[in-house]
Amino acid sequence: MFGYTVPSYQRLPPLDLKRYRRYYCEGCHQLKAGFGLSGTATVNFDMTFNTILLAGVTGEALEFGPTERTICVLDKPKADSELMRKMAAYTIILTKWELYDDETDKPSLKTKLISVALGRAIEKAEKMYPDYDEMVGKGFGALRKLELDGCKDARRMGVTFGKGLTGALKDIAGEHASDDLDRIFEELTACVYLMDAVDDLDDDFMDGTYNPFLPETGYVNSKKFIESDIYSLTSIMNESVGSLQSSYSKVRPLMQGNVSLCDNIVYYGIPESAKKVLMGEAKAKASVKNVLSNRKDRNSERA
């Protein structure tokens, strides 16, 4: 389990907590059914939220049964949902490009082995949805160009990256797609990108990989950097979170379900994640590589 788009668990009423767990587990079931056991390693909180939001907007897959088997990963899907099948494929494709990006930044045997382990799943997802693969690839390409240009505007990089990832989600939304929904996904990506960049400061410094927040000289460690730049970091984080909440408020009245659960994540969960990152308490680095390699601790809040 990894990602930053988590609920504020202590604020979730029991029914919403139960619903959230079902969506998370169903994402895993859909990945196994569509792409094999290895595909389940890519399940994450960020894609779980996207699924919950899209289900709420479209009215599809709002109700389905719970996991029944003791070894939950072996259970079958409970939702006969095209939306969830597409989201599973999108998750695999996104993971493919994350691994490609990691390999471009810093080639490693570990990344190659993970790519091989997911090879069949990735190949199948590419064949099923070549348009998604092309759109996500262009999104990573746009981000890579900004990195090569030495861009230091982290929010611009996050939003640019988000714009490149919305095409597939717009297709999944179908007739319910809208500019406001696009902006939710763009701003969500920006929030995750910013949190990821702050969370990864020390790793990127040690690896010599690009991070828009890293200064050219004088960097000691993330704790000292955040303490010295806390106001600007908080400001840029708040701008993205605020824009996400504003876009969500425009879509919210049109939703057919999952409203209270999405409210919790957007208005409480994501801000809490941002605060944890700035306090050095985040444990949910948004990369399948770090989950499979144990480079970072997995999130302690169980879904």
Side-chain angles (χ1 to χ4, degrees), residues 103 106-117 289 293:
E103 182 67 14
K106 188 177 177 62
S108 71
L109 178 60
K110 198 166 290 184
T111 301
K112 289 180 180 177
L113 290 174
I114 295 169
S115 295
V116 170
K289 182 180 75 171
S293 67

Side-chain angles (χ1 to χ4, degrees), residues 19-53:
R19 181 180 296 270
Y20 183 80
R21 286 173 169 165
R22 286 193 181 183
Y23 272 104
Y24 184 90
C25 291
E26 183 64 15
C28 189
H29 301 330
Q30 294 284 346
L31 283 162
K32 178 183 178 293
F35 303 98
L37 190 60
S38 64
T40 63
T42 67
V43 68
N44 63 82
F45 294 128
D46 301 330
M47 289 299 102
T48 299
F49 170 73
N50 287 343
T51 302
I52 292 169
L53 176 63

Side-chain angles (χ1 to χ4, degrees), residues 101 105 143-159 161 189-202 204-205 208-217 219 225 229 232-233 236-237:
D101 190 57
D105 281 341
L143 181 62
R144 173 65 60 183
K145 184 178 185 303
L146 289 175
E147 291 178 353
L148 293 175
D149 290 342
C151 179
K152 288 295 184 180
D153 187 339
R155 174 163 161 74
R156 177 191 171 196
M157 295 180 75
V159 172
F161 187 34
T189 304
C191 288
V192 170
Y193 178 84
L194 292 171
M195 286 188 271
D196 193 34
V198 174
D199 197 21
D200 243 13
L201 280 165
D202 286 337
D204 287 337
F205 177 72
T209 50
Y210 187 83
N211 188 312
F213 289 125
L214 280 176
E216 293 184 6
T217 60
Y219 183 83
F225 176 81
D229 213 22
S232 63
L233 289 172
I236 191 172
M237 203 78 78

